[in-house]
Amino acid sequence: MTQATLSTIPPRFLPWLDRKAQFSWLKAITLAVMIAPGLWVAFQLAMGWLTPKPVTLAIHQIGDWGIRFLIASLAVTPLRRILDYPKLLIIRRMLGVTAFAYILIHFVLYIVDQHWDLATVASEIVFRFYLTIGFAALLGLGALAATSTDKMIKRMGPEKWSKLHKLVYVIALVGLLHYFIQSKLVIDAALLVFGFDYKHKPEAWHNSLRLLKQEVMPRLKHLNADLTRAA
């Protein structure tokens, strides 16, 4: 592809260019950082290094990176103010859309792990609490990604668009809650085994609500307060 051909392509289709269609080292480096984890997971799968459960391990690795990119996108605004570097804002959208892409792949890999049995997937989402909130976070991020373009900002109007995209803080909290439960950082392992399955283990659901109220929610409130002050 020649330089003349590249110059006719809108900058939004060439993520290493800024709004003036100039090459941006910041965006180029960010792009490389965004792609690298996915390529590494794919390489590990191809080499057979993810054992004993390749797809399950890939699900967790991709999901972890989705959360990291989501947090990174939220950190852009306070970092821009701390560092007094306005250009940092040009990567915020990239990071947010990347977070959605990784979490979407995380969900698709989960479907693969369930042997493409969509009925089972739907049932699990309905009856398992951590999957319910994870799916809700995915839908929320999908809505934000779909409306992240300049065209959607003009169509919705800046005020409505801004109100919608402030939901990213709520979505981030829900996603972190899903992560905490899934990674067993907060919730008792026995409850995780039960999977918050209200249909078969209603006592696990009630115990989980107690633990959420006593342990998880106070931490999330502190995190929400920190994010609000940073924004």
Short mmCIF file of all heavy atoms in Angstrom, two decimals, residues 31-41 58-59 61-70 95-109 138 141:
data_model
loop_
_atom_site.label_atom_id
_atom_site.label_comp_id
_atom_site.label_asym_id
_atom_site.label_seq_id
_atom_site.Cartn_x
_atom_site.Cartn_y
_atom_site.Cartn_z
N LEU A 31 -1.28 0.88 20.57
CA LEU A 31 -1.79 -0.17 19.70
C LEU A 31 -1.01 -1.47 19.88
O LEU A 31 -1.59 -2.55 19.97
CB LEU A 31 -1.73 0.28 18.24
CG LEU A 31 -2.23 -0.72 17.19
CD1 LEU A 31 -3.71 -1.01 17.38
CD2 LEU A 31 -1.97 -0.18 15.78
N ALA A 32 0.32 -1.36 19.94
CA ALA A 32 1.15 -2.55 20.14
C ALA A 32 0.86 -3.21 21.48
O ALA A 32 0.75 -4.45 21.57
CB ALA A 32 2.63 -2.16 20.05
N VAL A 33 0.71 -2.38 22.52
CA VAL A 33 0.40 -2.90 23.86
C VAL A 33 -0.97 -3.58 23.87
O VAL A 33 -1.17 -4.60 24.55
CB VAL A 33 0.45 -1.77 24.90
CG1 VAL A 33 -0.08 -2.23 26.25
CG2 VAL A 33 1.88 -1.26 25.05
N MET A 34 -1.92 -3.04 23.12
CA MET A 34 -3.26 -3.59 23.06
C MET A 34 -3.27 -4.96 22.39
O MET A 34 -3.98 -5.88 22.82
CB MET A 34 -4.21 -2.63 22.31
CG MET A 34 -4.50 -1.36 23.07
SD MET A 34 -5.53 -0.13 22.21
CE MET A 34 -5.56 -0.68 20.55
N ILE A 35 -2.51 -5.12 21.34
CA ILE A 35 -2.54 -6.35 20.55
C ILE A 35 -1.71 -7.46 21.18
O ILE A 35 -2.07 -8.64 21.10
CB ILE A 35 -2.04 -6.06 19.11
CG1 ILE A 35 -3.00 -5.12 18.40
CG2 ILE A 35 -1.88 -7.35 18.32
CD1 ILE A 35 -2.50 -4.67 17.04
N ALA A 36 -0.61 -7.09 21.83
CA ALA A 36 0.35 -8.07 22.33
C ALA A 36 -0.24 -9.16 23.23
O ALA A 36 0.05 -10.35 23.02
CB ALA A 36 1.50 -7.34 23.04
N PRO A 37 -1.07 -8.83 24.22
CA PRO A 37 -1.58 -9.89 25.09
C PRO A 37 -2.43 -10.92 24.34
O PRO A 37 -2.32 -12.13 24.60
CB PRO A 37 -2.45 -9.13 26.10
CG PRO A 37 -1.90 -7.75 26.10
CD PRO A 37 -1.49 -7.49 24.70
N GLY A 38 -3.25 -10.46 23.41
CA GLY A 38 -4.07 -11.39 22.64
C GLY A 38 -3.22 -12.32 21.79
O GLY A 38 -3.49 -13.53 21.68
N LEU A 39 -2.18 -11.75 21.16
CA LEU A 39 -1.28 -12.58 20.36
C LEU A 39 -0.54 -13.59 21.23
O LEU A 39 -0.33 -14.74 20.82
CB LEU A 39 -0.27 -11.69 19.63
CG LEU A 39 -0.84 -10.77 18.53
CD1 LEU A 39 0.28 -9.92 17.93
CD2 LEU A 39 -1.52 -11.60 17.44
N TRP A 40 -0.17 -13.17 22.44
CA TRP A 40 0.55 -14.07 23.35
C TRP A 40 -0.34 -15.24 23.77
O TRP A 40 0.11 -16.39 23.80
CB TRP A 40 1.04 -13.29 24.56
CG TRP A 40 1.67 -14.15 25.64
CD1 TRP A 40 1.25 -14.27 26.93
CD2 TRP A 40 2.82 -15.00 25.51
NE1 TRP A 40 2.06 -15.14 27.61
CE2 TRP A 40 3.04 -15.60 26.76
CE3 TRP A 40 3.67 -15.30 24.45
CZ2 TRP A 40 4.08 -16.50 27.00
CZ3 TRP A 40 4.71 -16.19 24.67
CH2 TRP A 40 4.91 -16.78 25.93
N VAL A 41 -1.59 -14.95 24.09
CA VAL A 41 -2.52 -16.02 24.47
C VAL A 41 -2.74 -16.97 23.29
O VAL A 41 -2.73 -18.20 23.45
CB VAL A 41 -3.87 -15.45 24.96
CG1 VAL A 41 -4.88 -16.57 25.20
CG2 VAL A 41 -3.68 -14.64 26.24
N ALA A 58 -7.23 -19.78 28.80
CA ALA A 58 -7.30 -18.66 27.87
C ALA A 58 -8.43 -17.71 28.26
O ALA A 58 -8.28 -16.48 28.17
CB ALA A 58 -7.51 -19.16 26.44
N ILE A 59 -9.55 -18.26 28.68
CA ILE A 59 -10.68 -17.43 29.14
C ILE A 59 -10.23 -16.50 30.25
O ILE A 59 -10.50 -15.29 30.22
CB ILE A 59 -11.84 -18.32 29.64
CG1 ILE A 59 -12.51 -19.05 28.48
CG2 ILE A 59 -12.87 -17.50 30.42
CD1 ILE A 59 -13.51 -20.10 28.92
N GLN A 61 -7.10 -15.58 31.15
CA GLN A 61 -6.07 -14.62 30.75
C GLN A 61 -6.66 -13.46 29.94
O GLN A 61 -6.33 -12.29 30.19
CB GLN A 61 -4.98 -15.33 29.93
CG GLN A 61 -4.09 -16.24 30.76
CD GLN A 61 -2.86 -16.69 29.99
OE1 GLN A 61 -2.38 -16.02 29.08
NE2 GLN A 61 -2.33 -17.85 30.35
N ILE A 62 -7.53 -13.78 29.00
CA ILE A 62 -8.15 -12.73 28.18
C ILE A 62 -9.04 -11.84 29.04
O ILE A 62 -9.05 -10.60 28.89
CB ILE A 62 -8.95 -13.35 27.02
CG1 ILE A 62 -8.01 -14.00 26.00
CG2 ILE A 62 -9.82 -12.30 26.35
CD1 ILE A 62 -7.12 -13.02 25.26
N GLY A 63 -9.79 -12.45 29.95
CA GLY A 63 -10.64 -11.66 30.84
C GLY A 63 -9.84 -10.74 31.73
O GLY A 63 -10.22 -9.58 31.96
N ASP A 64 -8.70 -11.24 32.24
CA ASP A 64 -7.83 -10.41 33.08
C ASP A 64 -7.35 -9.18 32.31
O ASP A 64 -7.33 -8.07 32.85
CB ASP A 64 -6.62 -11.22 33.55
CG ASP A 64 -7.00 -12.29 34.57
OD1 ASP A 64 -8.14 -12.28 35.04
OD2 ASP A 64 -6.13 -13.14 34.88
N TRP A 65 -6.97 -9.38 31.05
CA TRP A 65 -6.50 -8.25 30.24
C TRP A 65 -7.64 -7.29 29.93
O TRP A 65 -7.43 -6.07 29.84
CB TRP A 65 -5.83 -8.74 28.97
CG TRP A 65 -4.41 -9.14 29.22
CD1 TRP A 65 -3.90 -10.42 29.27
CD2 TRP A 65 -3.32 -8.27 29.48
NE1 TRP A 65 -2.57 -10.39 29.56
CE2 TRP A 65 -2.17 -9.08 29.69
CE3 TRP A 65 -3.19 -6.89 29.57
CZ2 TRP A 65 -0.93 -8.54 29.98
CZ3 TRP A 65 -1.94 -6.35 29.86
CH2 TRP A 65 -0.83 -7.16 30.05
N GLY A 66 -8.84 -7.81 29.78
CA GLY A 66 -9.99 -6.93 29.57
C GLY A 66 -10.19 -5.99 30.74
O GLY A 66 -10.41 -4.78 30.56
N ILE A 67 -10.08 -6.52 31.96
CA ILE A 67 -10.21 -5.69 33.16
C ILE A 67 -9.07 -4.68 33.24
O ILE A 67 -9.27 -3.51 33.59
CB ILE A 67 -10.23 -6.59 34.42
CG1 ILE A 67 -11.55 -7.37 34.51
CG2 ILE A 67 -10.04 -5.76 35.68
CD1 ILE A 67 -12.77 -6.50 34.74
N ARG A 68 -7.85 -5.12 32.92
CA ARG A 68 -6.70 -4.21 32.97
C ARG A 68 -6.86 -3.04 32.01
O ARG A 68 -6.59 -1.88 32.37
CB ARG A 68 -5.42 -4.98 32.65
CG ARG A 68 -4.99 -5.93 33.76
CD ARG A 68 -3.94 -6.90 33.28
NE ARG A 68 -3.65 -7.92 34.28
CZ ARG A 68 -3.16 -9.11 34.01
NH1 ARG A 68 -2.92 -9.46 32.75
NH2 ARG A 68 -2.91 -9.98 34.97
N PHE A 69 -7.32 -3.34 30.80
CA PHE A 69 -7.50 -2.26 29.83
C PHE A 69 -8.65 -1.34 30.24
O PHE A 69 -8.59 -0.12 29.98
CB PHE A 69 -7.74 -2.83 28.44
CG PHE A 69 -6.48 -3.33 27.76
CD1 PHE A 69 -6.38 -4.64 27.34
CD2 PHE A 69 -5.41 -2.48 27.55
CE1 PHE A 69 -5.21 -5.10 26.73
CE2 PHE A 69 -4.25 -2.92 26.94
CZ PHE A 69 -4.15 -4.24 26.53
N LEU A 70 -9.68 -1.89 30.86
CA LEU A 70 -10.79 -1.06 31.33
C LEU A 70 -10.31 -0.10 32.41
O LEU A 70 -10.62 1.10 32.38
CB LEU A 70 -11.91 -1.95 31.87
CG LEU A 70 -13.16 -1.23 32.39
CD1 LEU A 70 -13.77 -0.34 31.32
CD2 LEU A 70 -14.18 -2.24 32.90
N LEU A 95 -8.28 2.49 24.44
CA LEU A 95 -8.23 1.57 25.57
C LEU A 95 -9.61 1.04 25.93
O LEU A 95 -9.78 -0.15 26.24
CB LEU A 95 -7.60 2.26 26.78
CG LEU A 95 -6.11 2.58 26.66
CD1 LEU A 95 -5.66 3.50 27.80
CD2 LEU A 95 -5.28 1.30 26.66
N GLY A 96 -10.62 1.92 25.88
CA GLY A 96 -11.97 1.49 26.21
C GLY A 96 -12.51 0.47 25.22
O GLY A 96 -13.10 -0.54 25.62
N VAL A 97 -12.31 0.73 23.93
CA VAL A 97 -12.78 -0.21 22.91
C VAL A 97 -12.00 -1.53 23.00
O VAL A 97 -12.56 -2.61 22.81
CB VAL A 97 -12.65 0.41 21.51
CG1 VAL A 97 -12.96 -0.62 20.43
CG2 VAL A 97 -13.58 1.61 21.37
N THR A 98 -10.72 -1.42 23.32
CA THR A 98 -9.91 -2.63 23.49
C THR A 98 -10.41 -3.46 24.66
O THR A 98 -10.48 -4.70 24.58
CB THR A 98 -8.43 -2.26 23.72
OG1 THR A 98 -7.95 -1.56 22.57
CG2 THR A 98 -7.58 -3.52 23.92
N ALA A 99 -10.77 -2.80 25.76
CA ALA A 99 -11.33 -3.52 26.90
C ALA A 99 -12.57 -4.29 26.49
O ALA A 99 -12.73 -5.47 26.84
CB ALA A 99 -11.66 -2.53 28.02
N PHE A 100 -13.46 -3.64 25.73
CA PHE A 100 -14.66 -4.33 25.25
C PHE A 100 -14.30 -5.51 24.36
O PHE A 100 -14.88 -6.60 24.50
CB PHE A 100 -15.57 -3.37 24.49
CG PHE A 100 -16.66 -4.06 23.73
CD1 PHE A 100 -17.70 -4.70 24.40
CD2 PHE A 100 -16.65 -4.09 22.33
CE1 PHE A 100 -18.71 -5.35 23.70
CE2 PHE A 100 -17.64 -4.74 21.64
CZ PHE A 100 -18.68 -5.38 22.32
N ALA A 101 -13.33 -5.33 23.47
CA ALA A 101 -12.94 -6.41 22.56
C ALA A 101 -12.43 -7.62 23.32
O ALA A 101 -12.80 -8.78 23.02
CB ALA A 101 -11.88 -5.91 21.58
N TYR A 102 -11.59 -7.39 24.31
CA TYR A 102 -11.05 -8.51 25.10
C TYR A 102 -12.14 -9.21 25.90
O TYR A 102 -12.16 -10.44 26.00
CB TYR A 102 -9.94 -8.01 26.02
CG TYR A 102 -8.57 -8.02 25.38
CD1 TYR A 102 -8.16 -6.98 24.56
CD2 TYR A 102 -7.68 -9.07 25.58
CE1 TYR A 102 -6.91 -6.96 23.95
CE2 TYR A 102 -6.43 -9.08 24.99
CZ TYR A 102 -6.05 -8.03 24.17
OH TYR A 102 -4.82 -8.05 23.57
N ILE A 103 -13.05 -8.44 26.47
CA ILE A 103 -14.12 -9.04 27.26
C ILE A 103 -15.10 -9.79 26.36
O ILE A 103 -15.65 -10.83 26.74
CB ILE A 103 -14.81 -7.98 28.12
CG1 ILE A 103 -13.81 -7.47 29.18
CG2 ILE A 103 -16.05 -8.53 28.81
CD1 ILE A 103 -14.28 -6.29 29.97
N LEU A 104 -15.30 -9.28 25.15
CA LEU A 104 -16.14 -10.01 24.19
C LEU A 104 -15.48 -11.34 23.81
O LEU A 104 -16.15 -12.38 23.75
CB LEU A 104 -16.37 -9.16 22.94
CG LEU A 104 -17.22 -9.80 21.82
CD1 LEU A 104 -18.61 -10.14 22.33
CD2 LEU A 104 -17.29 -8.87 20.61
N ILE A 105 -14.17 -11.33 23.56
CA ILE A 105 -13.45 -12.56 23.26
C ILE A 105 -13.50 -13.50 24.46
O ILE A 105 -13.66 -14.73 24.31
CB ILE A 105 -11.99 -12.25 22.88
CG1 ILE A 105 -11.95 -11.46 21.57
CG2 ILE A 105 -11.17 -13.54 22.74
CD1 ILE A 105 -10.57 -10.91 21.23
N HIS A 106 -13.40 -12.95 25.66
CA HIS A 106 -13.53 -13.71 26.90
C HIS A 106 -14.86 -14.47 26.91
O HIS A 106 -14.92 -15.67 27.24
CB HIS A 106 -13.44 -12.72 28.06
CG HIS A 106 -13.75 -13.26 29.41
ND1 HIS A 106 -12.91 -14.08 30.12
CD2 HIS A 106 -14.84 -13.07 30.21
CE1 HIS A 106 -13.44 -14.38 31.30
NE2 HIS A 106 -14.62 -13.78 31.37
N PHE A 107 -15.94 -13.79 26.52
CA PHE A 107 -17.26 -14.41 26.49
C PHE A 107 -17.36 -15.46 25.39
O PHE A 107 -17.92 -16.55 25.59
CB PHE A 107 -18.33 -13.33 26.29
CG PHE A 107 -19.73 -13.85 26.21
CD1 PHE A 107 -20.29 -14.54 27.28
CD2 PHE A 107 -20.50 -13.66 25.07
CE1 PHE A 107 -21.60 -15.03 27.21
CE2 PHE A 107 -21.80 -14.13 25.00
CZ PHE A 107 -22.35 -14.82 26.07
N VAL A 108 -16.82 -15.16 24.21
CA VAL A 108 -16.85 -16.13 23.11
C VAL A 108 -16.08 -17.38 23.49
O VAL A 108 -16.54 -18.51 23.19
CB VAL A 108 -16.27 -15.49 21.82
CG1 VAL A 108 -16.12 -16.56 20.73
CG2 VAL A 108 -17.18 -14.37 21.32
N LEU A 109 -14.95 -17.23 24.15
CA LEU A 109 -14.18 -18.40 24.59
C LEU A 109 -14.97 -19.23 25.60
O LEU A 109 -14.87 -20.46 25.63
CB LEU A 109 -12.85 -17.97 25.19
CG LEU A 109 -11.78 -17.48 24.20
CD1 LEU A 109 -10.58 -16.92 24.94
CD2 LEU A 109 -11.36 -18.62 23.27
N LEU A 138 -20.65 -6.82 30.08
CA LEU A 138 -20.36 -6.95 28.65
C LEU A 138 -21.34 -6.14 27.81
O LEU A 138 -20.94 -5.42 26.88
CB LEU A 138 -20.39 -8.42 28.24
CG LEU A 138 -20.27 -8.71 26.74
CD1 LEU A 138 -18.92 -8.24 26.21
CD2 LEU A 138 -20.47 -10.19 26.45
N LEU A 141 -20.59 -2.40 28.23
CA LEU A 141 -19.41 -1.99 27.47
C LEU A 141 -19.69 -1.98 25.98
O LEU A 141 -19.17 -1.14 25.24
CB LEU A 141 -18.24 -2.93 27.77
CG LEU A 141 -17.54 -2.74 29.11
CD1 LEU A 141 -16.47 -3.81 29.30
CD2 LEU A 141 -16.91 -1.35 29.19
#
